[in-house]
Amino acid sequence: MASVLKVCGGRPLHGTITVRGAKNFVPKAMVAALLGDGESELHNVPLISDVDIVSGLVGLHGARVDFDQESGVLHLDPQDLHTAHIVDIDAHAGSSRIPILFCGPLLHRLKEAFIPDLGGCNIGGRPIDFHLDILRTFGAKIEKKPGGIRIHRDGPLTGAVIDLPYPSVGATEQTLLTSVKAQGITVLRGAAIEPEIMDLIHVLQKMGAIISVDTDRTIRIEGVDKMSGFVHHALPDRIEAASWASAALATGGDIFIKGAHQPDMTTYLNVFRKVGGAFDVTNQGIRFYHPGHALQPIVLETNVHPGFMTDWQQPLVVALTQADGISIVHETVYENRFGFTKALRDMGAHIQVYRECLGGLDCRFGRRNFHHSAVVSGPTPLHGAEVIIPDLRGGFSHLIAALAAEGESTVHGINMISRGYEHFLSKLRALHAHIE
């Protein structure tokens, strides 16, 4: 894929596109397949670079992967698993943080795992130490090596009691993937309960795991000795669906998103309606459109599920630049998520960022000198500009801004978007965007 996109904006997006399985679930389900004794079959798999990365990583460890890109069906057979070289893992993983989630399954199957120094989007701290502490709790031994970390076990991993200080998705996934075959019972308190986490639990249950979820964010796992493969249909990507919905709102467009799932998007739909957007829910998907009247400003705080998802925030901020009045957005999940607003200001948006908590409650970033609140004044006409994509979600937001802006924009680094948005160039053309 070329890394530079020229966008001639100022035209409403309209048409029909399809979203497939969630980026925040599918790679984790592929890792979970390593726990099974037999082949797993995953449906509704998107063609995104994160799937390519995980396919390559499991292949380095001896698993066989067969992915039919047209049908979205992926088969993964882990029966010939073996240890991979850390240099090969590092070369293939690139900036992905996925390798840390391989540790639990590889510890159970091979008694050891190697992970390289990890990258990822620069939107805030997601420290690897958090994951390593969880693995130590199960009895794993950690050794720092040049270029990465070796994790091993001398005996079987054992169940543990883990209290998370914050409902971290990554820490919850790590605990689930490690605990299901650990001896005894694991209790995870303060767990994340996002739809993608619940779908991972469904996959693990199909494989033979015993997992219960209480109403107070407590997950209990009874370790089992053996697990099988699974057949599963991945839940649709609610982040991608909301991103295109925000694009419809920002450009004054009308987009029908096949595969968009109302139950997973309830909170987003409420906010979309408050801003002034309209939507129609069908059995096949959701139509999102700008009804023609002025958009309304809102006060919004991101939060863990069932709150307003942090990954929904950045695309929606672009639409809020066109709302009639002052909107306030308080980011409580990632401390550095407003870095993307500089490019929007360069395009004509009126956005100010603040260190103070501008929401209803103080959050964990309020006294730590992070710019984690934003005031958006609108409506402001946007104009074309040179844009460099900083990260996945911020990058898609810049793309939306370019589509909404009058004139031509040059967007650099668009390959980053392919990490989480399947066929996004083809979808832009299907929505009658003027791109080159």
Side-chain angles (χ1 to χ4, degrees):
M1 181 187 296
S3 62
V4 180
L5 188 70
K6 291 189 180 296
V7 180
C8 188
R11 296 172 172 84
L13 297 181
H14 61 94
T16 299
I17 58 172
T18 299
V19 296
R20 289 205 284 193
K23 168 193 175 290
N24 285 356
F25 163 75
V26 169
K28 323 305 173 56
M30 294 171 65
V31 174
L34 300 180
L35 290 161
D37 294 333
E39 181 177 299
S40 291
E41 182 178 305
L42 187 59
H43 294 247
N44 202 32
V45 175
L47 181 59
I48 57 176
S49 59
D50 273 18
V51 170
D52 290 338
I53 289 170
V54 177
S55 296
L57 288 172
V58 298
L60 289 175
H61 287 87
R64 181 179 58 81
V65 180
D66 180 18
F67 180 27
D68 186 327
Q69 297 177 1
E70 185 174 348
S71 67
V73 178
L74 183 146
H75 292 87
L76 195 154
D77 186 349
Q79 293 184 71
D80 296 324
L81 221 57
H82 58 70
T83 300
H85 296 292
I86 193 167
V87 174
D88 295 334
I89 297 170
D90 192 20
H92 191 83
S95 64
S96 173
R97 292 174 180 263
I98 283 288
I100 189 63
L101 294 177
F102 277 67
C103 294
L106 293 180
L107 283 170
H108 287 301
R109 293 289 304 274
L110 305 175
K111 297 186 178 181
E112 65 177 357
F114 294 90
I115 54 171
D117 295 327
L118 301 178
C121 293
N122 185 22
I123 56 176
R126 292 184 280 188
I128 188 176
D129 288 348
F130 207 17
H131 291 264
L132 298 180
D133 287 343
I134 290 171
L135 293 167
R136 285 190 187 97
T137 303
F138 287 101
K141 307 291 180 62
I142 314 293
E143 291 181 64
K144 185 71 176 75
K145 297 285 187 179
I149 298 169
R150 177 178 182 252
I151 303 161
H152 63 99
R153 64 179 175 92
D154 296 329
L157 300 180
T158 56
V161 176
I162 299 171
D163 290 281
L164 298 182
Y166 184 78
S168 162
V169 169
T172 301
E173 292 166 340
Q174 185 70 259
T175 303
L176 288 170
L177 291 167
T178 307
S179 64
V180 286
K181 292 185 76 172
Q183 291 185 356
I185 295 175
T186 296
V187 178
L188 175 64
R189 301 191 185 104
I193 54 171
E194 273 68 7
E196 295 81 9
I197 292 287
M198 299 308 297
D199 217 27
L200 180 59
I201 289 174
H202 297 155
V203 161
L204 293 170
Q205 188 179 55
K206 287 181 177 181
M207 299 177 73
I210 301 173
I211 306 172
S212 62
V213 182
D214 296 341
T215 55
D216 63 350
R217 293 186 177 272
T218 298
I219 299 178
R220 302 174 191 276
I221 307 101
E222 298 180 35
V224 297
D225 294 331
K226 294 181 66 66
M227 298 182 73
S228 64
F230 64 83
V231 177
H232 190 76
H233 187 94
L235 83 168
D237 197 313
R238 61 191 176 123
I239 304 174
E240 183 183 359
S243 297
W244 290 111
S246 292
L249 202 57
T251 64
D254 186 336
I255 303 176
F256 181 71
I257 304 175
K258 286 185 177 180
H261 191 221
Q262 181 187 12
D264 298 335
M265 298 184 67
T266 301
T267 304
Y268 177 85
L269 295 174
N270 287 336
V271 172
F272 189 85
R273 180 167 281 163
K274 287 179 182 179
V275 174
F279 60 87
D280 301 324
V281 179
T282 74
N283 290 333
Q284 287 74 43
I286 305 176
R287 174 195 174 200
F288 293 91
Y289 57 100
H290 191 303
H293 54 65
L295 300 181
Q296 301 301 308
I298 58 170
V299 176
L300 177 67
E301 289 183 276
T302 65
N303 210 335
V304 296
H305 187 77
F308 191 89
M309 193 178 193
T310 179
D311 289 316
W312 291 334
Q313 174 258 112
Q314 291 163 297
L316 187 66
V317 163
V318 182
L320 291 179
T321 67
Q322 305 308 302
D324 188 8
I326 295 176
S327 296
I328 298 173
V329 182
H330 181 208
E331 172 63 50
T332 74
V333 178
Y334 288 126
E335 61 266 34
N336 290 326
R337 199 128 218 192
F338 283 122
F340 80 103
T341 60
K342 181 185 182 302
L344 301 186
R345 289 193 294 272
D346 292 343
M347 299 176 80
H350 292 171
I351 303 174
Q352 294 175 292
V353 294
Y354 296 89
R355 293 182 175 90
E356 294 77 17
C357 296
L358 297 184
L361 298 172
D362 290 343
C363 78
R364 60 200 175 119
F365 307 136
R367 294 174 179 83
R368 294 173 57 193
N369 208 33
F370 295 116
H371 290 91
H372 69 294
S373 294
V375 175
V376 185
S377 304
T380 53
L382 302 178
H383 55 77
E386 292 268 340
V387 177
I388 299 176
I389 286 178
D391 58 71
L392 175 59
R393 306 304 173 187
F396 197 87
S397 303
H398 292 162
L399 181 58
I400 294 174
L403 293 164
E406 292 293 336
E408 185 177 274
S409 296
T410 304
V411 186
H412 298 265
I414 61 166
N415 3 23
M416 173 73 78
I417 297 176
S418 68
R419 279 190 54 216
Y421 294 87
E422 180 187 40
H423 300 312
F424 76 94
L425 292 177
S426 299
K427 290 177 182 179
L428 285 172
R429 295 187 179 99
L431 297 175
H432 302 91
H434 287 233
I435 59 171
E436 179 183 339

